């Protein structure tokens, strides 16, 4: 991705916060969605929002977006991707992680950064609906880590569900990103933003299942490590936050990916340290399926462009171009073209 930030919006924090709040998301009207509620194999449910448009049987490509921490189909990046899909005549879907669609889920769990089994189940169901037309998946931040974790865990079988996949601003090393977001400005701004919605959701879960976790310990949490230690880790089978961050990170499984995969991270992302990002590698067969784009600027899921107040279409357009360029050859599990690019 050949990206240069506008001169009027310098720095990783500005390039993260401004686009999320003020920049234009679409060229047309706000996306309209049709919601489906799917029963999960464990007796819970997830809500999937489909962009109003072609029916499931229409032989057009389907772009699937997995949102970030506390995100939804109304996040700024989701609406931008929806508009890109609309203008290209693609179908578009946002499967919500449990509890993120506006309705609390029924089971004694929520969602987490390594939720690759859930991602795989969602993608398989969408692929079955889609038939022979290609499915492309993009994951943003937490959703990007979960998607890449799934692609690595699935190996060659991932090609049964997607033609190609992309992650945007994913914290592929959760320990490094967790430490970064827990310090200084990040702790005072981003951590507080996340906990503002995460804590009430967790307390609502405790109301559903009394005794599920320690209420006082949760209320005392002031960073994501403490929150994950009390809530996320034990509810999802991890020993503690450190165990969760280690076992859920996608970075170790990137060499196992066998479908064309794009990994996009800005080097000035405030809470995904540049030193933690993957370097070019080759898998055991000697050919890499992973392309790295690491522009100098862009912030965290920002990549603003244009004149004031700017827009957030540059990144979704570039990612959509890359996914479409992979065609449907990935169904045969063929590589995307060999060596990775270090900077896009």
């Amino acid at each position: 991705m050949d990206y240069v930030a506008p001169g009027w919006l310098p720095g990783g924090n500005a390039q993260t916060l401004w686009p999320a709040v003020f920049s234009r998301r679409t060229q047309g009207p706000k996306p309209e969605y049709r919601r489906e509620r799917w029963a999960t194999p464990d007796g819970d449910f997830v809500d999937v929002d489909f962009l109003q448009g072609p029916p499931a049987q229409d032989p057009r490509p389907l772009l699937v977006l997995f949102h970030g921490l506390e995100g939804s189909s109304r996040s700024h990046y989701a609406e931008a991707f929806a508009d890109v899909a609309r203008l290209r005549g693609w179908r578009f879907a946002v499967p919500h992680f449990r509890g993120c669609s506006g309705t609390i889920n029924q089971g004694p769990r929520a969602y987490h950064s390594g939720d690759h089994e859930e991602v795989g189940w969602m993608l398989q169901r969408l692929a079955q609906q889609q038939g022979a037309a290609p499915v492309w998946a993009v994951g943003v931040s937490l959703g990007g880590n979960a998607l890449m974790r799934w692609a690595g865990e699935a190996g060659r079988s991932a090609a049964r569900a997607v033609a190609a996949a992309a992650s945007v601003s994913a914290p592929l090393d959760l320990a490094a990103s967790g430490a970064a977001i827990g310090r200084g400005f990040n702790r005072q701004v981003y951590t507080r933003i996340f906990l503002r919605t995460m804590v009430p959701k967790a307390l609502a879960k405790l109301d559903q299942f009394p005794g599920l976790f320690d209420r006082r310990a949760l209320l005392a949490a002031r960073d994501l490590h403490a929150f994950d230690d009390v809530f996320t880790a034990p509810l999802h089978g991890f020993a503690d936050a450190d165990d969760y961050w280690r076992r859920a990170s996608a970075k170790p499984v990137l060499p196992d990916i066998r479908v064309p995969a794009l990994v996009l991270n800005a080097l000035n992302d405030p809470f995904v340290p540049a030193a933690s990002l993957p370097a070019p590698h080759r898998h055991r067969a000697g050919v890499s399926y992973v392309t790295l784009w690491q522009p100098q600027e862009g912030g965290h899921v920002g990549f603003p462009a244009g004149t004031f107040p700017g827009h957030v279409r540059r990144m979704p357009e570039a990612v959509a171009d890359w996914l479409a360029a992979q065609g449907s050859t990935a169904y045969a599990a063929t590589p995307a073209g060999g060596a990775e690019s270090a900077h896009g």
Side-chain angles (χ1 to χ4, degrees), residues 198-255:
M198 292 166 66
V199 169
K201 283 185 181 180
L203 293 176
K205 187 60 60 181
L206 188 61
D207 289 340
Q208 283 182 307
F209 299 94
L212 189 62
F213 58 85
D214 187 332
R215 178 187 179 92
R216 281 191 286 186
L218 182 92
L219 291 174
R222 294 294 180 267
D223 57 32
L224 297 187
H225 186 277
F227 180 91
D228 286 344
D229 220 30
V230 175
F231 182 80
T232 313
L235 263 64
H236 301 100
F238 301 100
D240 53 26
D242 293 329
D243 181 53
Y244 159 45
W245 288 358
R246 177 179 59 82
R247 291 169 53 197
S249 293
K251 186 177 177 180
V253 302
L254 292 181

Side-chain angles (χ1 to χ4, degrees), residues 169-220:
S169 301
L172 302 168
D173 180 337
L174 292 170
S177 292
I181 201 171
R183 295 192 296 260
F185 179 87
N186 290 346
R187 181 186 180 98
Q188 296 303 316
V189 177
Y190 303 113
T191 295
R192 288 187 177 185
I193 289 173
F194 288 131
L195 291 180
R196 190 179 303 150
T197 55
M198 292 166 66
V199 169
K201 283 185 181 180
L203 293 176
K205 187 60 60 181
L206 188 61
D207 289 340
Q208 283 182 307
F209 299 94
L212 189 62
F213 58 85
D214 187 332
R215 178 187 179 92
R216 281 191 286 186
L218 182 92
L219 291 174

